[in-house]
Amino acid sequence: MITNPYLPQPAEIISITKETTTDYTFRLKTDIQPDFGQFVEVSIPKVGEAPISVSNAQPGWIELTIRRVGHLTNELHELKPGDLLFIRGPYGKGFPKEQYRDKSLIIAAGGTGLAPVRNLINYYYQHPGEVRQLSLLMGFKTPEDILFKEDIEKWRSKFKVLLTVDKESPGWSGHVGLITNFVKDAVGENSSASRVIIVGPPLMMKFTSQEFIKYNIPEENIWLSFERKMCCGIGKCGHCRINDTYVCLEGPVFPYITAKNLLD
């Protein structure tokens, strides 16, 4: 029997968490067990479909953090616990976790780029001995845009965490400035032995990568996620194509030695 790769399965919404005014996290009942960094296709019949990174997962459920940006996501934000939406997947190649074992790992995430790495960070929170050290460098436009505030406070108990916002804001006493300003602090010593993951807007990934290389992180020790370029999930629509590379199939996670030729 030939199965239809476009056919989604219903998933019940278990809970909805409001992260910001425009970002909600949906916990869905499902048997899907994604690798770290993979994504699923989310749809509402007669409304549309969109690729969404998995922001957390445990046996029996996954979480998707979805920003209200258009017709489909507007409809998703009107749903309630107990409602159904439809998902298919998981798709794509995730983070090569085996290459981070016993290494110092730095994760740099900008804005909603924190969502695709949240599940991996939570894994290391539960299994801290798998990496020598984990450093988190996270940047948001404003304090109101910060995602996963409770998780960030939890992560501070085990990891080196540097959280920054782009500009001075009333009531904000933390770091101010772009992520690139703090790469040197995140790298520290023994940079050649560190591994780096970068996720965020294209320009952020481009200049953050260059900054890590400036501080002696080898290109082969850097990985980027092109999660914003995902589309149909199975390489048929062509919208994710960059040159001859299909991000849905060959990514969304790429080593920098490949990604540097894909950056716009």
Side-chain angles (χ1 to χ4, degrees):
M1 179 180 178
I2 299 176
T3 59
N4 183 350
Y6 289 102
L7 186 64
Q9 300 296 320
E12 180 183 347
I13 299 173
I14 300 172
S15 64
I16 302 173
T17 301
K18 183 178 180 180
E19 307 286 353
T20 71
T21 56
T22 57
D23 300 284
Y24 288 21
T25 295
F26 295 76
R27 180 173 290 188
L28 308 177
K29 184 178 180 180
T30 178
D31 292 330
I32 288 177
Q33 298 184 20
D35 291 333
F36 301 107
Q38 285 191 306
F39 65 98
V40 296
E41 296 285 342
V42 180
S43 61
I44 298 177
K46 300 182 180 181
V47 176
E49 181 179 63
I52 305 292
S53 296
V54 176
S55 63
N56 205 7
Q58 290 293 330
W61 57 262
I62 63 172
E63 288 185 345
L64 309 176
T65 301
I66 302 174
R67 170 164 289 183
R68 185 193 291 262
V69 293
H71 183 53
L72 172 63
T73 53
N74 285 340
E75 293 291 331
L76 285 169
H77 277 226
E78 296 301 319
L79 298 177
K80 304 178 298 296
D83 289 342
L84 295 179
L85 50 73
F86 291 80
I87 56 176
R88 58 182 176 90
Y91 297 115
K93 295 180 180 178
F95 299 104
K97 186 165 64 69
E98 68 283 354
Q99 296 193 42
Y100 310 144
R101 183 180 292 274
D102 299 324
K103 306 295 183 182
S104 293
L105 177 63
I106 304 168
I107 298 178
T112 56
L114 183 57
V117 292
R118 179 190 179 213
N119 194 26
L120 182 63
I121 298 170
N122 281 334
Y123 174 83
Y124 287 127
Y125 182 85
Q126 296 165 353
H127 305 83
E130 288 204 13
V131 290
R132 185 180 304 166
Q133 175 181 303
L134 179 58
S135 300
L136 305 179
L137 177 54
M138 299 170 287
F140 295 89
K141 288 184 178 180
T142 71
E144 290 72 28
D145 295 312
I146 296 174
L147 298 174
F148 315 127
K149 294 182 178 69
E150 291 185 3
D151 279 350
I152 291 173
E153 290 308 309
K154 177 183 72 175
W155 297 337
R156 289 182 189 276
S157 67
K158 291 186 180 180
F159 310 134
K160 179 181 177 182
V161 173
L162 196 156
L163 176 64
T164 183
V165 298
D166 291 354
K167 298 178 181 180
E168 294 280 358
S169 300
W172 176 255
S173 60
H175 293 285
V176 176
L178 300 178
I179 276 181
T180 48
N181 297 341
F182 302 99
V183 166
K184 182 179 180 180
D185 296 330
V187 171
E189 299 178 358
N190 300 319
S191 57
S192 61
S194 297
R195 303 295 186 265
V196 176
I197 293 171
I198 305 172
V199 192
L203 283 177
M204 172 267 177
M205 292 197 297
K206 177 180 180 179
F207 289 109
T208 304
S209 298
Q210 293 174 356
E211 200 70 10
F212 275 108
I213 293 168
K214 173 182 173 181
Y215 289 104
N216 302 315
I217 299 290
E219 291 187 358
E220 61 269 24
N221 289 355
I222 301 174
W223 287 262
L224 281 66
S225 175
F226 284 65
E227 50 99 18
R228 295 182 182 222
K229 289 289 292 185
M230 303 175 304
C231 203
C232 75
I234 57 177
K236 296 300 183 182
C237 73
H239 290 168
C240 73
R241 183 178 174 183
I242 304 175
N243 301 323
D244 294 326
T245 300
Y246 287 83
V247 173
C248 284
L249 299 180
E250 300 175 53
V253 176
F254 294 94
Y256 180 77
I257 53 176
T258 300
K260 66 182 180 180
N261 299 314
L262 304 177
L263 288 170
D264 298 331

